[in-house]
Amino acid sequence: MATHAAACPEPRGRAGAGPLAAVWLAWLLLMAGVNLATPLYPVYAKHFHFSSLVLTAIFATYAFVLVPALILFGRLSDRFGRRPVLVVGLATASVGLALFAAATGPAWLFAARAAQGLAVGMISGAATAALVELDPAGDRRRAALLAGLAQAGGSAAGPLFAGVLAQWAPDPRRLCFLVALGATVVAAVAALELPEPADREREPWRIEWPRVPPELLLDFARVSLTAATVWATLALYLSIVPSYAQSLLGTHNLALLAVIATVALVASSVAQIAAQRFAGSRRRDQAVGLGLLSLGLAALVVAAPLHSLALLLVGALAAGTGHGLGFLNAQQELNELAPAQRRGEVTAAFISCIYFLVAMAVISSGLLDLHFSLTVSVGAVASALIVVAVSTAAWQL
């Protein structure tokens, strides 16, 4: 997962739809590559003999690297242009995919996730700005929707693609990464041809420290808690839930394990498209999203004693819909709250809050698994997220 950071300068010239599609597809491909390992984590744990704590730490390494990368590189493309930053970011993503393909132990997986976090941290700001600048009509709402769909859609496509190849194609731990590596290299070559607005002012590079104006703190805390809760839930689906589902269903079908995470992410994408078409109250829609998320998490917990695939899928559908509705409205309210001249640093703080809770939720499930069963661990973390979601929904209302 990633979110977009940094305000975009007002563009003066417009490109055609081709460059816009190239940027969007590159970002979609990046997010697919970042989440390819989702259905393979149980395979790695068995093959390399590591615990759920190590598994969740590998997943969380991405977050620990991404936030500092956003702070350091968030405005890099304002100084050097979108094209070079996108190309270097895609090259870094290629390194992460190559490390996954060559992995012979947990250390390789940690290094791969770190490279992926660095790549997303570098690309997010540049891609967000490029989507606005290259849009033929300069439509910021469409650019925001494209950014959200690239993240959720790519995150959905990656696990499904990897699960299908791992289940029915040869070399299940390498093939999906090698295919994605080839596609990412092609995307990097295509990015070399992206146009740069000739009359855009080149801003001096500076670090975007995560700071919030005091008068915004209360509203900032409210929208950040919404965004953090919905992303922490999705992070569970992308990290530990495949192992959880494997245990409670007694299956080793990697495609089936991938489908559970994919359902949540596809539901999020659909919810974001619908939310854009039917604008309502930001606070009310965040509360509705958090309510749906709570129902999805409850289904995830209840599915364990019943060993129910149907409940897992219904829970993923509800959680994903809640994620899309909650996050899109939280992001849009944040954009409305933050002063234009401080949007970059406020967004950096917003992203830091999201990844703090993401890391806490994922690693907590791994720590609990050291002393309890995986079912108990996931149930405890999901229950804690339900409490946070319901409390935040009440605050929104």
Side-chain angles (χ1 to χ4, degrees), residues 307-385:
H307 300 279
S308 172
L309 173 61
L311 266 179
L312 281 177
L313 293 174
V314 168
L317 181 65
T321 303
H323 171 273
L325 192 57
F327 177 68
L328 182 68
N329 283 281
Q331 177 72 68
Q332 290 185 346
E333 186 178 355
L334 181 85
N335 290 343
E336 294 163 1
L337 289 170
Q341 68 274 18
R342 301 191 65 179
R343 187 167 291 126
E345 58 188 317
V346 172
T347 305
F350 179 70
I351 294 167
S352 299
C353 292
I354 290 173
Y355 280 107
F356 175 75
L357 191 57
V358 164
M360 279 192 62
V362 170
I363 291 179
S364 293
S365 62
L367 284 169
L368 288 169
D369 188 48
L370 293 178
H371 304 286
F372 307 98
S373 69
L374 189 57
T375 300
V376 171
S377 304
V378 172
V381 173
S383 299
L385 287 172

XYZ file of all heavy atoms in Angstrom, residues 307-385:
565
model
N -14.818 -22.601 10.303
C -14.009 -23.046 9.160
C -14.709 -22.707 7.845
O -14.829 -23.554 6.945
C -13.731 -24.554 9.241
C -12.998 -24.945 10.483
N -11.639 -24.815 10.618
C -13.438 -25.436 11.669
C -11.264 -25.224 11.827
N -12.348 -25.609 12.481
N -15.165 -21.476 7.733
C -16.037 -21.077 6.629
C -15.319 -20.199 5.608
O -14.916 -19.062 5.918
C -17.253 -20.321 7.181
O -18.013 -19.760 6.136
N -15.175 -20.706 4.399
C -14.629 -19.913 3.311
C -15.596 -18.791 2.939
O -15.173 -17.661 2.634
C -14.371 -20.805 2.086
C -13.954 -20.084 0.794
C -12.638 -19.331 0.991
C -13.843 -21.076 -0.362
N -16.906 -19.083 2.968
C -17.902 -18.074 2.611
C -17.792 -16.855 3.516
O -17.847 -15.704 3.050
C -19.308 -18.669 2.684
N -17.627 -17.083 4.819
C -17.495 -15.959 5.754
C -16.205 -15.179 5.505
O -16.177 -13.946 5.619
C -17.532 -16.468 7.195
C -18.899 -16.462 7.883
C -18.777 -17.022 9.296
C -19.501 -15.066 7.916
N -15.135 -15.882 5.173
C -13.885 -15.196 4.852
C -14.073 -14.264 3.657
O -13.601 -13.121 3.659
C -12.778 -16.209 4.549
C -12.092 -16.887 5.732
C -11.087 -17.918 5.220
C -11.388 -15.858 6.611
N -14.769 -14.744 2.627
C -14.969 -13.939 1.427
C -15.930 -12.784 1.687
O -15.700 -11.664 1.220
C -15.497 -14.823 0.295
C -14.504 -15.873 -0.227
C -15.170 -16.791 -1.250
C -13.271 -15.208 -0.839
N -16.998 -13.034 2.434
C -17.933 -11.957 2.784
C -17.226 -10.906 3.631
O -17.411 -9.699 3.442
C -19.166 -12.526 3.523
C -20.000 -11.406 4.140
C -20.016 -13.354 2.581
N -16.405 -11.367 4.572
C -15.644 -10.438 5.404
C -14.676 -9.603 4.584
O -14.546 -8.394 4.798
N -14.003 -10.238 3.618
C -13.078 -9.509 2.756
C -13.823 -8.472 1.921
O -13.346 -7.340 1.725
C -12.330 -10.476 1.843
N -15.018 -8.835 1.438
C -15.827 -7.913 0.641
C -16.246 -6.697 1.475
O -16.123 -5.544 1.029
C -17.061 -8.647 0.120
C -18.018 -7.845 -0.765
C -17.335 -7.443 -2.063
C -19.267 -8.671 -1.060
N -16.715 -6.938 2.699
C -17.146 -5.838 3.565
C -15.960 -4.980 3.995
O -16.034 -3.737 3.981
C -17.866 -6.399 4.793
N -14.854 -5.621 4.373
C -13.676 -4.865 4.810
C -13.113 -4.030 3.670
O -12.716 -2.867 3.868
C -12.615 -5.823 5.350
N -13.066 -4.601 2.457
C -12.550 -3.863 1.314
C -13.422 -2.675 0.948
O -12.926 -1.579 0.657
N -14.749 -2.878 0.971
C -15.666 -1.777 0.690
C -15.505 -0.673 1.730
O -15.471 0.520 1.398
C -17.121 -2.283 0.673
O -17.248 -3.335 -0.289
C -18.087 -1.162 0.330
N -15.399 -1.078 2.993
C -15.179 -0.097 4.057
C -13.877 0.647 3.891
O -13.789 1.863 4.135
N -12.844 -0.074 3.456
C -11.543 0.566 3.214
C -11.668 1.625 2.126
O -11.217 2.764 2.295
C -10.516 -0.486 2.795
C -9.228 0.112 2.314
N -9.036 0.485 1.000
C -8.079 0.420 2.964
C -7.831 1.000 0.860
N -7.229 0.970 2.031
N -12.250 1.267 0.986
C -12.346 2.218 -0.117
C -13.131 3.456 0.249
O -12.712 4.585 -0.032
N -14.282 3.259 0.903
C -15.131 4.383 1.287
C -14.465 5.238 2.369
O -14.468 6.473 2.297
C -16.468 3.838 1.790
C -17.625 4.827 1.976
C -17.929 5.553 0.679
C -18.865 4.089 2.480
N -13.871 4.575 3.356
C -13.254 5.314 4.451
C -12.002 6.058 4.034
O -11.828 7.247 4.349
N -11.123 5.379 3.289
C -9.851 6.019 2.957
C -10.022 7.155 1.958
O -9.423 8.227 2.115
C -8.843 5.003 2.414
C -7.559 5.663 2.001
C -6.727 6.223 2.945
C -7.213 5.776 0.664
C -5.552 6.869 2.577
C -6.052 6.413 0.286
C -5.219 6.963 1.246
N -10.815 6.949 0.907
C -10.974 7.996 -0.090
C -11.511 9.276 0.544
O -11.020 10.378 0.273
C -11.912 7.526 -1.202
C -12.106 8.538 -2.330
C -10.819 8.717 -3.124
C -13.232 8.113 -3.264
N -12.511 9.155 1.410
C -13.080 10.341 2.043
C -12.134 10.951 3.075
O -12.099 12.177 3.236
C -14.431 9.998 2.675
C -15.533 9.906 1.644
O -16.060 10.922 1.201
N -15.871 8.692 1.235
N -11.360 10.117 3.751
C -10.363 10.657 4.683
C -9.291 11.434 3.924
O -8.890 12.535 4.336
C -9.733 9.523 5.489
N -8.819 10.869 2.797
C -7.800 11.548 1.993
C -8.339 12.864 1.436
O -7.662 13.897 1.464
C -7.365 10.632 0.853
C -6.347 11.254 -0.099
C -4.964 11.390 0.522
O -4.291 10.398 0.783
N -4.545 12.617 0.777
N -9.567 12.851 0.935
C -10.125 14.074 0.369
C -10.380 15.127 1.440
O -10.163 16.317 1.209
C -11.415 13.741 -0.398
C -11.150 12.952 -1.678
C -12.396 12.716 -2.502
O -13.506 12.901 -2.039
N -12.210 12.279 -3.726
N -10.816 14.704 2.625
C -11.006 15.691 3.700
C -9.666 16.274 4.132
O -9.557 17.475 4.409
C -11.725 15.073 4.900
C -12.065 16.117 5.955
C -12.826 15.576 7.153
O -13.197 14.388 7.156
O -13.047 16.358 8.096
N -8.636 15.420 4.178
C -7.306 15.936 4.522
C -6.856 16.979 3.502
O -6.311 18.029 3.870
C -6.296 14.786 4.574
C -4.875 15.227 4.942
C -4.721 15.298 6.449
C -3.832 14.306 4.349
N -7.078 16.713 2.214
C -6.687 17.663 1.174
C -7.409 18.998 1.338
O -6.854 20.058 1.041
C -6.982 17.079 -0.209
C -6.064 15.929 -0.561
O -5.019 15.751 0.048
N -6.462 15.116 -1.526
N -8.665 18.932 1.807
C -9.435 20.156 2.015
C -8.978 20.897 3.265
O -9.004 22.129 3.308
C -10.922 19.812 2.126
C -11.523 19.269 0.828
C -12.851 18.561 1.047
O -13.313 18.521 2.213
O -13.411 18.035 0.066
N -8.559 20.157 4.289
C -8.138 20.772 5.546
C -6.772 21.436 5.457
O -6.556 22.520 6.003
C -8.100 19.709 6.662
C -9.427 19.166 7.180
C -9.171 17.966 8.075
C -10.167 20.252 7.963
N -5.840 20.776 4.762
C -4.446 21.222 4.780
C -4.253 22.478 3.927
O -4.706 22.519 2.780
C -3.542 20.107 4.278
N -3.578 23.494 4.452
C -3.253 24.668 3.633
C -2.361 24.254 2.466
O -1.492 23.390 2.610
C -2.504 25.588 4.605
C -2.775 25.052 5.973
C -3.051 23.601 5.814
N -2.575 24.853 1.297
C -1.829 24.459 0.097
C -0.332 24.526 0.313
O 0.420 23.652 -0.123
C -2.245 25.342 -1.081
N 0.137 25.561 1.031
C 1.566 25.748 1.208
C 2.171 24.768 2.218
O 3.390 24.659 2.328
C 1.873 27.191 1.634
C 1.388 27.567 3.027
C -0.061 28.034 3.056
O -0.815 27.777 2.123
N -0.450 28.717 4.120
N 1.308 24.024 2.926
C 1.818 23.063 3.911
C 1.272 21.663 3.663
O 1.368 20.800 4.528
C 1.452 23.528 5.334
C 2.012 24.901 5.682
C 1.880 25.225 7.149
N 2.671 24.349 7.988
C 2.736 24.450 9.309
N 2.058 25.399 9.933
N 3.466 23.613 10.019
N 0.699 21.432 2.482
C 0.070 20.140 2.205
C 1.073 18.995 2.229
O 0.762 17.895 2.676
C -0.660 20.183 0.854
C -1.486 18.927 0.586
C -2.433 19.100 -0.583
N -3.486 20.047 -0.251
C -3.782 21.119 -0.968
N -3.109 21.384 -2.063
N -4.760 21.920 -0.603
N 2.288 19.250 1.769
C 3.294 18.192 1.744
C 3.635 17.678 3.129
O 3.634 16.473 3.386
N 3.910 18.592 4.059
C 4.304 18.150 5.404
C 3.118 17.557 6.163
O 3.279 16.602 6.934
C 4.918 19.314 6.183
C 4.038 20.529 6.338
C 4.791 21.706 6.937
O 5.559 21.497 7.886
O 4.609 22.831 6.449
N 1.900 18.096 5.936
C 0.724 17.523 6.589
C 0.451 16.116 6.053
O 0.136 15.197 6.814
C -0.508 18.439 6.380
C -1.780 17.750 6.885
C -0.309 19.765 7.112
N 0.609 15.923 4.744
C 0.398 14.599 4.158
C 1.458 13.622 4.643
O 1.174 12.441 4.866
C 0.407 14.679 2.622
O -0.563 15.630 2.204
C 0.065 13.332 2.012
N 2.694 14.094 4.818
C 3.745 13.225 5.358
C 3.380 12.745 6.758
O 3.593 11.578 7.114
C 5.079 13.969 5.374
N 2.807 13.641 7.576
C 2.361 13.239 8.916
C 1.212 12.239 8.830
O 1.146 11.271 9.596
C 1.922 14.483 9.699
N 0.300 12.461 7.887
C -0.843 11.571 7.653
C -0.361 10.161 7.306
O -0.812 9.160 7.883
C -1.662 12.177 6.516
C -2.884 11.414 6.094
C -4.003 11.325 6.910
C -2.946 10.830 4.827
C -5.147 10.663 6.492
C -4.084 10.166 4.398
C -5.188 10.081 5.237
N 0.589 10.077 6.400
C 1.124 8.774 5.983
C 1.870 8.105 7.134
O 1.777 6.889 7.333
C 2.039 8.947 4.765
C 1.213 9.426 3.563
C 2.758 7.653 4.413
C 2.044 9.911 2.407
N 2.594 8.890 7.919
C 3.320 8.331 9.066
C 2.349 7.687 10.054
O 2.620 6.609 10.597
C 4.135 9.424 9.754
O 5.090 9.973 8.883
N 1.206 8.340 10.301
C 0.200 7.771 11.196
C -0.342 6.456 10.646
O -0.528 5.484 11.385
C -0.954 8.759 11.387
S -0.524 10.251 12.296
N -0.600 6.419 9.348
C -1.119 5.204 8.722
C -0.156 4.044 8.923
O -0.537 2.961 9.398
C -1.373 5.433 7.220
C -2.561 6.372 7.007
C -1.625 4.101 6.503
C -2.766 6.787 5.561
N 1.099 4.263 8.598
C 2.051 3.154 8.648
C 2.443 2.769 10.065
O 2.856 1.634 10.318
C 3.274 3.468 7.790
C 2.996 3.209 6.330
C 2.827 4.249 5.437
C 2.849 1.917 5.852
C 2.541 4.013 4.105
C 2.556 1.669 4.530
C 2.410 2.716 3.659
O 2.107 2.476 2.351
N 2.293 3.700 11.013
C 2.522 3.348 12.418
C 1.519 2.288 12.853
O 1.886 1.258 13.436
C 2.407 4.594 13.298
C 2.507 4.299 14.773
C 3.735 4.003 15.350
C 1.369 4.309 15.571
C 3.827 3.718 16.717
C 1.451 4.032 16.934
C 2.682 3.737 17.507
N 0.222 2.508 12.550
C -0.786 1.527 12.948
C -0.690 0.257 12.107
O -0.916 -0.847 12.614
C -2.189 2.138 12.829
C -3.321 1.306 13.454
C -3.044 1.027 14.928
C -4.667 2.028 13.300
N -0.346 0.395 10.827
C -0.138 -0.789 9.982
C 0.927 -1.696 10.591
O 0.724 -2.913 10.757
C 0.261 -0.378 8.550
C 0.855 -1.563 7.785
C -0.946 0.175 7.793
N 2.070 -1.103 10.934
C 3.168 -1.895 11.509
C 2.765 -2.506 12.844
O 3.062 -3.672 13.132
C 4.405 -1.020 11.665
N 2.072 -1.719 13.685
C 1.650 -2.232 14.991
C 0.708 -3.419 14.839
O 0.851 -4.439 15.527
C 0.960 -1.122 15.794
C 1.899 -0.166 16.499
S 1.007 0.866 17.681
C 0.373 -0.364 18.807
N -0.275 -3.314 13.945
C -1.258 -4.388 13.783
C -0.608 -5.664 13.262
O -0.849 -6.766 13.775
C -2.369 -3.926 12.837
N 0.230 -5.517 12.245
C 0.831 -6.691 11.618
C 1.822 -7.373 12.564
O 1.801 -8.601 12.742
C 1.523 -6.282 10.299
C 2.353 -7.428 9.754
C 0.481 -5.856 9.265
N 2.692 -6.583 13.199
C 3.704 -7.180 14.088
C 3.048 -7.730 15.357
O 3.481 -8.762 15.889
C 4.802 -6.155 14.404
C 5.609 -5.879 13.132
C 5.715 -6.660 15.507
C 6.715 -4.867 13.303
N 1.986 -7.086 15.847
C 1.289 -7.609 17.029
C 0.741 -9.007 16.776
O 0.799 -9.877 17.650
C 0.146 -6.669 17.423
O 0.637 -5.439 17.874
N 0.217 -9.224 15.575
C -0.301 -10.558 15.269
C 0.817 -11.588 15.278
O 0.639 -12.725 15.732
C -1.023 -10.558 13.918
O -0.140 -10.218 12.871
N 2.005 -11.191 14.802
C 3.148 -12.104 14.841
C 3.635 -12.381 16.249
O 3.983 -13.511 16.599
N 3.675 -11.334 17.081
C 4.107 -11.506 18.481
C 3.142 -12.407 19.248
O 3.563 -13.289 19.999
C 4.205 -10.141 19.170
C 5.423 -9.281 18.826
C 5.253 -7.867 19.373
C 6.692 -9.919 19.381
N 1.843 -12.182 19.072
C 0.857 -13.002 19.769
C 0.951 -14.464 19.353
O 0.714 -15.374 20.160
C -0.552 -12.464 19.500
C -0.910 -11.144 20.192
C -2.209 -10.582 19.638
C -1.016 -11.346 21.693
N 1.318 -14.701 18.104
C 1.407 -16.075 17.605
C 2.541 -16.861 18.260
O 2.549 -18.086 18.223
C 1.576 -16.064 16.076
C 1.474 -17.455 15.480
O 0.521 -18.178 15.834
O 2.352 -17.826 14.677
N 3.494 -16.152 18.872
C 4.568 -16.847 19.590
C 4.045 -17.565 20.833
O 4.634 -18.546 21.295
C 5.654 -15.848 20.002
C 6.473 -15.201 18.878
C 7.460 -14.203 19.462
C 7.205 -16.265 18.063
N 2.932 -17.058 21.391
C 2.412 -17.602 22.652
C 1.030 -18.234 22.503
O 0.615 -19.018 23.361
C 2.345 -16.498 23.707
C 3.658 -15.805 23.940
N 4.699 -16.401 24.635
C 4.113 -14.590 23.542
C 5.737 -15.567 24.670
N 5.412 -14.464 24.013
N 0.319 -17.860 21.447
C -1.019 -18.402 21.223
C -1.100 -18.963 19.814
O -0.141 -18.927 19.071
C -2.084 -17.309 21.425
C -1.977 -16.589 22.739
C -1.339 -15.359 22.819
C -2.507 -17.140 23.892
C -1.236 -14.691 24.024
C -2.401 -16.480 25.110
C -1.764 -15.248 25.174
N -2.251 -19.479 19.464
C -2.439 -19.969 18.090
C -2.613 -18.794 17.138
O -2.928 -17.669 17.550
C -3.661 -20.881 18.019
O -4.849 -20.118 18.219
N -2.438 -19.077 15.846
C -2.629 -18.032 14.838
C -4.075 -17.551 14.833
O -4.343 -16.359 14.640
C -2.245 -18.565 13.457
C -2.182 -17.562 12.313
C -1.208 -16.437 12.620
C -1.783 -18.255 11.009
N -5.009 -18.455 15.085
C -6.423 -18.082 15.139
C -6.677 -17.071 16.239
O -7.360 -16.049 16.036
C -7.296 -19.330 15.368
O -7.098 -20.242 14.292
C -8.767 -18.958 15.460
N -6.119 -17.319 17.416
C -6.281 -16.399 18.545
C -5.596 -15.065 18.244
O -6.134 -13.990 18.537
C -5.721 -17.028 19.838
C -5.679 -15.995 20.969
C -6.556 -18.223 20.253
N -4.428 -15.119 17.645
C -3.660 -13.905 17.370
C -4.398 -12.990 16.400
O -4.554 -11.785 16.658
C -2.292 -14.274 16.785
O -1.603 -15.145 17.647
N -4.840 -13.554 15.287
C -5.576 -12.745 14.304
C -6.891 -12.254 14.902
O -7.286 -11.095 14.703
C -5.828 -13.548 13.013
C -6.756 -12.789 12.073
C -4.506 -13.851 12.320
N -7.559 -13.113 15.672
C -8.813 -12.707 16.309
C -8.618 -11.549 17.270
O -9.443 -10.622 17.319
N -7.514 -11.574 18.032
C -7.256 -10.496 18.999
C -6.978 -9.175 18.286
O -7.508 -8.123 18.678
C -6.076 -10.881 19.883
N -6.149 -9.215 17.261
C -5.827 -7.982 16.532
C -7.056 -7.456 15.800
O -7.337 -6.249 15.805
C -4.655 -8.222 15.550
C -4.433 -6.989 14.679
C -3.389 -8.575 16.306
N -7.820 -8.360 15.181
C -9.044 -7.938 14.484
C -10.036 -7.324 15.463
O -10.677 -6.306 15.159
C -9.673 -9.129 13.767
N -10.164 -7.905 16.651
C -11.085 -7.363 17.653
C -10.638 -5.978 18.113
O -11.473 -5.083 18.311
C -11.172 -8.317 18.854
O -11.671 -9.580 18.451
N -9.340 -5.797 18.292
C -8.832 -4.479 18.672
C -9.123 -3.448 17.582
O -9.506 -2.300 17.877
C -7.330 -4.559 18.945
N -8.971 -3.853 16.325
C -9.263 -2.933 15.217
C -10.755 -2.618 15.143
O -11.136 -1.496 14.780
C -8.771 -3.529 13.897
C -7.261 -3.534 13.686
C -6.885 -4.321 12.430
C -6.717 -2.107 13.585
